Amino acid sequence: MSWTGSGRKTAVLCTAVVLLGTLALPAQAAPPISAPAAAGRVPASPEIPSPEEIAAAKSNASSTAAEVTRIDGLLADASAGQETSLAASLQANNAYGEALVELATRRDAAAVAAARAAAAGTEQAKARKQVGQLAGDLYRNGGLNPALGSFVSGSGRALEDAATLEAVTAGRARAFESAENAATAAQSLTEAAADANRAADEAAATAEDRKADADRAATAQRQVVADAKAQRSALVDQLASLRNTTAALESARVDALDRQRQQARLAALTAAAGPAPQPGTDSQPAPAAPGRDDSAAGQPAAPAPASAPAPAAAPAPVPAPASAPAPAPVPAPVPAPVPAPVPVPVPAPVPAPVPAPVPVPVPAPISGGSNQTAISVALGKTGSPFFYQYGGTGTRGFDCSGLVQNAFAAAGKYLPRTASQQFAQAPVHVPLSQARPGDLLVWGSAPGFYHVAIYLGGGRVVQALNPDAGITVTDVAAMSGMQLYGYAARY
């Protein structure tokens, strides 16, 4: 059958949504889906008004306004469709990248297991040789080890002969025990190597499946972009006709509407993010809002001394008859130490961390400037000759988390491999409203994030996006509808 442009776009969007959903399911649970059949069940809807509709809309101002609103809505839907397809593509890319990481891990484990099995085989061969020599000696000497000859001949040195017999017997026992242990170890390690190889083969098969998913998602995403571009061109011309302007002016107006929607969505997401969940250390909330934390710390400290004088006043009436003037001076010194303890705990922790970095002067400057170094390294990899590569960690090809890992390693900070791990293992997390240059932004839902980028400040990120866009700088707002997480990770 032949599809119209509208029907083809619907089918591609359905394919992107299907890919986005099935990636979250186990491979065996993913039902077979026929994209054409799915598209056929969706009622067709005109995405480009006909010339007759445009002519009718020009009949009066209210009809024109209604048609303009309708076309603006079609363009907004097309923009949302592109975000959906891009999110599906990024999630497929991430699944493939993680499969490649797992494959590398399995292959390394298989190589280690094979080396251990080979070493055990060598030991087993040595033990067998030793037992064989012992058996040969026994055979050649009528079942008696030559070392026992003097014992049997009766040299009269009873103690020495007894010691020789004991040593030979123990040595023979050790030889047989060693041979038995070597055989057991060799068998166990050989089986472990076989299991490791099977796991590596399974990981390779999974990686191939994930690669196919990524290729399909990328193809669907490219088709959505191409259809949206053609649709936009036609709709912008119609807007220019309806509003008696030019296509250039209408294109700029549509772009402005897109930016407004994106900024509003990002603002809503930022406002909805509450205090960042921290791993539970007392030192992490302080950097999030230093000014407020200091004042807050001062308020809890004030009640502490206030409670101290209260118990002091209680004992005061008891010794009043004995020494009334004594308690009177006591409260006077009490307020005097009160200010002293309050500052004392505050400086105490501050110098405590300082001496730790002092022996190693490198971390001290890195804490302030290393993230800028990471930013510079990442920005230096935008454009040719650098490119996006599935599972890439350098030297020229990178995926999203590979770029982050490489950039921070150049700054002396060694991050884990995947986007989820990089976010989870960060020592500090802050709401997006408190993000600063060098923080990591992630997309997806905790704990399984599918994309990560380095925040540059000013609402922009540097990232390894996909094979088409490569390593690029992007506005955060433009990706705010793709499950942007409301918190940033800080190293």
Side-chain angles (χ1 to χ4, degrees):
M1 73 180 191
S2 62
W3 287 356
T4 64
S6 170
R8 187 172 79 251
K9 183 165 193 273
T10 303
V12 173
L13 280 172
C14 289
T15 303
V17 172
V18 166
L19 283 170
L20 185 59
T22 55
L23 284 171
L25 298 174
Q28 65 272 19
I33 294 178
S34 170
R41 291 193 297 268
V42 179
S45 59
E47 297 179 356
I48 299 178
S50 66
E52 293 76 16
E53 289 173 320
I54 296 299
K58 289 182 175 181
S59 60
N60 57 68
S62 61
S63 297
T64 300
E67 192 66 16
V68 168
T69 301
R70 176 191 173 197
I71 294 176
D72 286 344
L74 291 176
L75 288 168
D77 291 343
S79 178
Q82 291 185 75
E83 290 182 355
T84 299
S85 65
L86 178 57
S89 177
L90 293 182
Q91 188 167 348
N93 292 350
N94 180 70
Y96 180 35
E98 289 186 342
L100 290 176
V101 172
E102 178 68 13
L103 174 58
T105 301
R106 295 294 184 183
R107 283 177 172 168
D108 289 344
V112 171
R116 290 177 177 172
T122 301
E123 291 300 319
Q124 182 185 21
K126 290 180 181 178
R128 282 177 176 174
K129 183 177 180 181
Q130 184 178 5
V131 170
Q133 291 174 346
L134 179 60
D137 291 343
L138 293 175
Y139 176 79
R140 285 189 298 272
N141 294 277
L144 186 65
N145 190 289
L148 301 181
S150 61
F151 181 81
V152 176
S153 63
S155 62
R157 298 175 299 175
L159 292 178
E160 293 180 10
D161 291 342
T164 300
L165 176 61
E166 182 179 359
V168 170
T169 304
R172 183 186 301 174
R174 282 195 300 271
F176 281 107
E177 183 180 1
S178 175
E180 183 179 0
N181 291 340
T184 302
Q187 180 181 359
S188 174
L189 290 173
T190 300
E191 292 173 355
D195 291 341
N197 283 324
R198 280 192 294 271
D201 292 340
E202 292 172 2
T206 300
E208 286 300 318
D209 292 341
R210 295 294 178 262
K211 183 180 186 303
D213 292 341
D215 289 341
R216 284 193 295 269
T219 300
Q221 197 260 337
R222 292 186 190 106
Q223 189 62 59
V224 168
V225 171
D227 289 346
K229 184 178 180 180
Q231 180 199 37
R232 176 190 169 100
S233 177
L235 292 178
V236 164
D237 287 342
Q238 291 180 337
L239 287 172
S241 174
L242 287 168
R243 290 167 53 84
N244 294 320
T245 61
T246 65
L249 289 175
E250 290 304 318
S251 181
R253 186 182 69 84
V254 170
D255 288 341
L257 290 175
D258 279 342
R259 285 192 297 270
Q260 288 176 8
R261 282 189 292 267
Q262 293 166 358
Q263 292 292 346
R265 189 170 49 202
L266 178 59
L269 176 64
T270 303
Q278 300 295 345
T281 61
D282 296 338
S283 62
Q284 288 167 0
R292 286 189 301 235
D293 288 346
D294 292 344
S295 61
Q299 290 172 354
S307 61
V318 179
S323 59
V330 170
V334 168
V338 168
V342 173
V344 166
V346 176
V350 173
V354 174
V358 166
V360 185
V362 178
I366 279 180
S367 62
S370 63
N371 286 359
Q372 288 298 330
T373 300
I375 288 174
S376 298
V377 170
L379 288 174
K381 290 178 170 53
T382 57
S384 181
F386 303 98
F387 55 92
Y388 181 94
Q389 179 181 5
Y390 293 121
T393 57
T395 56
R396 293 187 177 181
F398 302 88
D399 64 6
C400 64
S401 55
L403 176 66
V404 170
Q405 187 183 54
N406 179 276
F408 277 84
K413 297 185 178 183
Y414 301 96
L415 277 58
R417 177 62 185 87
T418 67
S420 296
Q421 294 169 347
Q422 288 171 357
F423 184 88
Q425 296 186 25
V428 179
H429 298 93
V430 298
L432 282 181
S433 59
Q434 299 177 18
R436 64 191 187 195
D439 288 351
L440 302 184
L441 305 190
V442 291
W443 283 258
S445 55
F449 301 109
Y450 65 80
H451 187 63
V452 62
I454 302 174
Y455 186 58
L456 300 176
R460 299 183 307 155
V461 293
V462 59
Q463 60 185 339
L465 189 59
N466 60 23
D468 293 336
I471 301 172
T472 184
V473 174
T474 311
D475 287 338
V476 177
M479 299 178 65
S480 59
M482 297 164 48
Q483 289 184 292
L484 173 63
Y485 196 54
Y487 303 92
R490 181 171 298 162
Y491 281 89

